[in-house]
């Protein structure tokens, strides 16, 4: 029990240390207002293009994509902030369990991504007069949780690249654009070239977007267990790859005698 409490306490303190200095107004503007403006843009665009057909699914899918702010830009700061503040050496040298440490640091971003996505969904429901049953809301909560978890795993991989390159703004913005492009949130995935469809199968949020559209447009829950399980396994693979990258960086640091590998 004490280990579990310590795990969640570390998650909270890590998130607070990264963002506690922000003014509440800045948090609202960055984590709420900016994502909502993105939701509004794509929602009105989709309604115009498709004449309101299956609008609920598109709004739900775009609400899920609001987590990109947390799963990409927020989660990469888990590693990049340690390098910029000079504490990365201490973390790599500590005998603490590295997988548990980085997983704990990621949970707060998963929760914050869920919060942002549901705020966007609530905003879309009120603005476009969409109905959502309790059963559908529960299914969406499960689908979105594993989808955001998977996206955070990929964000950690990109964050680990800060050990080799200082061009993190380029990488994070590129990843955010790729997730928006390949998820199929604003157009049928079948309209993409076959090569992109193949790549999309290995990207997070793709299955979450499909399930969100099926749940909100058709009330279909049949594929929720299969796709949610696949998305969760994909997230586990991403976290494992991230840890491999960090261990590789630690090995190179021992060889070179410095954590500055760029």
């Amino acid at each position: 029990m004490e280990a579990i409490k310590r795990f969640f306490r570390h998650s909270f303190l890590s998130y607070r240390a990264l963002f506690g200095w922000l003014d509440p107004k800045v948090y609202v503007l960055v984590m709420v207002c900016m994502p909502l403006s993105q939701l509004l843009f794509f929602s009105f665009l989709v309604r115009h293009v498709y004449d309101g057909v299956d609008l609920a699914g598109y709004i739900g899918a775009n609400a899920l994509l609001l987590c990109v702010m947390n799963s990409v830009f927020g989660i990469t700061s888990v590693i990049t902030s340690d390098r910029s503040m000079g504490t990365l050496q201490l973390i790599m040298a500590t005998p603490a369990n590295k997988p548990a440490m980085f997983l704990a640091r990621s949970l707060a971003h998963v929760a914050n991504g869920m919060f942002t996505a549901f705020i966007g969904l609530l905003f879309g429901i009120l603005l476009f007069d969409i109905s959502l049953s309790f059963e559908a809301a529960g299914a969406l909560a499960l689908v979105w949780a594993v989808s955001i978890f998977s996206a955070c795993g990929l964000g950690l991989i990109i964050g680990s690249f800060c050990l080799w390159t200082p061009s993190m703004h380029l990488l994070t913005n590129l990843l955010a654009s790729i997730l928006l492009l390949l998820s199929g949130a604003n157009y049928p995935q079948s309209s993409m070239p076959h090569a992109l469809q193949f790549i999309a199968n290995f990207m997070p949020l793709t299955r979450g977007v499909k399930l969100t559209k099926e749940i909100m447009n058709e009330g279909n829950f049949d594929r929720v267990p299969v796709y949610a399980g696949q998305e969760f396994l994909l997230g586990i693979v991403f976290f494992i790859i991230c840890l491999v990258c960090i261990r590789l960086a630690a090995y190179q640091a021992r060889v070179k005698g410095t954590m500055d590998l760029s």
Side-chain angles (χ1 to χ4, degrees), residues 29 32-44 66 123:
L29 287 172
V32 179
C33 293
M34 190 168 70
L36 289 183
S37 65
Q38 174 184 312
L39 175 70
L40 275 177
F41 171 78
F42 285 112
S43 297
F44 282 113
L66 298 184
F123 186 73

Side-chain angles (χ1 to χ4, degrees), residues 73-234:
F73 299 100
I75 201 71
T76 54
S77 63
V78 168
I79 301 177
T80 57
S81 61
D82 284 316
R83 178 176 181 176
S84 62
M85 292 186 292
T87 56
L88 185 60
Q89 295 90 336
L90 300 176
I91 291 178
M92 299 306 297
T94 182
N97 187 325
K98 298 299 190 301
M101 179 186 301
F102 285 104
L103 180 59
R105 288 180 162 206
S106 304
L107 282 184
H109 293 278
V110 174
N112 199 10
M114 287 284 292
F115 170 76
T116 304
F118 273 104
I119 287 293
L121 179 62
L122 179 62
F123 186 73
I125 288 175
L126 295 176
L127 184 62
F128 294 95
D129 193 23
I130 297 172
S131 60
L132 186 67
S133 66
F134 286 106
E135 185 181 7
L140 285 178
L142 172 63
V143 171
W144 287 11
V146 294
S147 299
I148 295 172
F149 170 77
S150 179
C152 285
L154 182 57
L156 272 180
I157 295 177
I158 299 300
S160 67
F161 291 168
C162 78
L163 303 172
W164 290 279
T165 175
S167 305
M168 291 308 299
H169 291 294
L170 172 63
L171 293 177
T172 52
N173 282 282
L174 179 62
L175 176 59
S177 300
I178 290 175
L179 290 177
L180 291 173
L181 172 67
L182 298 182
S183 66
N186 296 299
Y187 44 80
Q189 193 178 13
S190 58
S191 64
M192 294 191 298
H194 293 294
L196 292 182
Q197 291 184 40
F198 178 77
I199 297 174
N201 291 328
F202 299 94
M203 297 295 292
L205 302 181
T206 302
R207 296 169 184 80
V209 165
K210 288 181 181 178
L211 290 174
T212 298
K213 290 181 177 180
E214 290 183 4
I215 291 171
M216 298 193 67
N217 289 335
E218 307 166 13
N220 184 8
F221 306 94
D222 295 340
R223 295 201 288 182
V224 169
V226 176
Y227 275 6
Q230 291 176 356
E231 195 78 359
F232 181 74
L233 290 177
L234 185 64

